[in-house]
């Protein structure tokens, strides 16, 4: 099963204990929720809605349960195609990591619940694949910022300013493996014009793709589409 630094793990002990404590109606509601297209999606509104359905006071608890299930669903890298192999690996992981003790008074019954919650979900698999295609090849740009700087050209004696040079400083934030990083560069006015031309060129290419009947025969996934979990 997954091997990650402790700080990057979801709250597995609490989540497993919560799943073990659910009464039959609560468990059925959770099972229905994760079996849908939303899978283990844990947006704020969904966690609040599901928290009310489960009769819990804190949406953070629901977030922790869904995050833990998502973590366990992935398995070690790529999930084995054989579910039996996957669940045997899951059992071994829980026991070797001592998480098994968090499955309550009847750990076998709680583990059976995990098996049902972690059954392969084609909608989840599709969403994960699409998300990887969007972000898994190169870092994704997530925000942009800029400011204009006037740099003085001083006279030889440094007692006056002969001219000023406008320079644009541009910052792009990227997100890779859940960590944000910043890339800063500067552009002259001529560089800004080339940047604008390049963006217009990209827009034309995207428009051509969307208007091509051969491409329109396929589903086009854009930012407005649901990403799933």
């Amino acid at each position: 099963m997954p091997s990650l630094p402790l700080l990057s793990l979801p709250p597995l002990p609490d989540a497993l204990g919560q799943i073990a404590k659910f009464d039959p109606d609560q468990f059925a509601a959770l099972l229905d929720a994760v079996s849908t297209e939303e899978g283990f999606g844990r947006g704020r509104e969904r966690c609040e809605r599901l928290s009310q359905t489960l009769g819990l006071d804190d949406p953070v608890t629901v977030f922790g349960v869904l995050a833990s299930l998502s973590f366990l669903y992935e398995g070690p890298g790529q999930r084995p195609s054989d579910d039996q192999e996957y669940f045997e690996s899951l059992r071994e992981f829980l026991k070797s990591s001592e998480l098994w003790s968090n499955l309550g008074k009847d750990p076998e019954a709680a583990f059976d619940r995990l098996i049902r919650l972690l059954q392969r979900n084609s909608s989840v698999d599709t969403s994960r694949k699409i998300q990887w295609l969007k972000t898994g090849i190169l870092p994704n740009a997530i925000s942009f910022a800029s400011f204009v700087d006037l740099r003085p050209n001083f006279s030889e004696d440094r007692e006056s300013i002969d001219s000023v040079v406008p320079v644009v400083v541009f910052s792009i934030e990227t997100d890779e493996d859940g960590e944000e990083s910043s890339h800063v560069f500067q552009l002259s006015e001529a560089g800004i014009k080339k940047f604008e031309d390049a963006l217009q060129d990209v827009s034309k290419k995207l428009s051509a793709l969307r208007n091509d009947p051969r491409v329109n025969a396929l589903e086009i996934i854009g930012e407005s589409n649901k990403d799933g979990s």
Side-chain angles (χ1 to χ4, degrees):
M1 292 303 296
S3 175
L4 293 174
L6 182 60
L7 290 178
S8 64
L9 289 174
L12 286 170
D14 292 340
L16 293 174
Q18 186 65 64
I19 291 170
K21 289 189 297 184
F22 280 142
D23 65 34
D25 289 339
Q26 289 175 311
F27 174 71
L30 177 62
L31 181 60
D32 285 345
V34 302
S35 300
T36 65
E37 289 186 1
E38 290 183 276
F40 308 116
R42 45 197 180 274
R44 179 175 179 178
E45 290 185 4
R46 191 190 189 206
C47 288
E48 291 176 347
R49 186 174 66 248
L50 190 51
S51 177
Q52 293 178 352
T53 301
L54 297 175
L56 301 176
D57 296 329
D58 188 2
V60 174
T61 300
V62 175
F63 180 92
V65 168
L66 293 173
S68 297
L69 289 173
S70 178
F71 173 80
L72 295 173
Y73 184 90
E74 292 183 26
Q78 184 175 2
R79 175 170 169 161
S81 57
D82 183 352
D83 272 352
Q84 185 61 34
E85 177 186 348
Y86 162 70
F87 289 122
E88 288 176 1
S89 176
L90 174 61
R91 179 188 291 273
E92 180 182 346
F93 166 70
L94 295 177
K95 290 190 172 182
S96 64
S97 63
E98 300 184 358
L99 288 168
W100 188 262
S101 62
N102 295 100
L103 292 175
K105 296 180 180 179
D106 190 349
E108 289 295 340
F111 185 72
D112 286 342
R113 285 186 166 188
L114 280 180
I115 289 177
R116 296 176 65 187
L117 291 167
L118 297 171
Q119 291 292 330
R120 188 173 294 280
N121 184 329
S122 60
S123 295
V124 172
D125 291 341
T126 299
S127 295
R128 289 184 183 281
K129 184 175 181 180
I130 289 171
Q131 188 64 21
W132 182 85
L133 289 171
K134 286 183 177 180
T135 64
I137 299 173
L138 291 172
N140 238 22
I142 56 175
S143 67
F144 307 86
S146 64
F147 69 90
V148 176
D149 187 16
L150 282 178
R151 298 181 180 174
N153 174 28
F154 289 98
S155 60
E156 288 294 330
D157 59 11
R158 300 295 190 268
E159 293 184 354
S160 62
I161 298 174
D162 291 340
S163 58
V164 292
V165 178
V167 175
V168 177
V169 178
F170 211 87
S171 173
I172 299 178
E173 294 283 339
T174 61
D175 186 5
E176 183 175 20
D177 295 330
E179 294 187 6
E180 295 184 10
S181 59
S182 180
H183 307 270
V184 180
F185 57 93
Q186 68 181 42
L187 295 166
S188 64
E189 285 189 87
I192 286 290
K193 180 61 171 65
K194 291 180 180 179
F195 193 24
E196 290 175 345
D197 290 344
L199 291 176
Q200 289 179 4
D201 188 52
V202 170
S203 294
K204 289 179 180 179
K205 290 177 180 178
L206 289 172
S207 179
L209 278 174
R210 292 183 179 278
N211 293 328
D212 190 304
R214 294 167 296 180
V215 176
N216 279 330
L218 303 171
E219 180 184 9
I220 300 177
I221 306 290
E223 290 302 318
S224 62
N225 293 79
K226 185 186 297 182
D227 285 341
S229 63

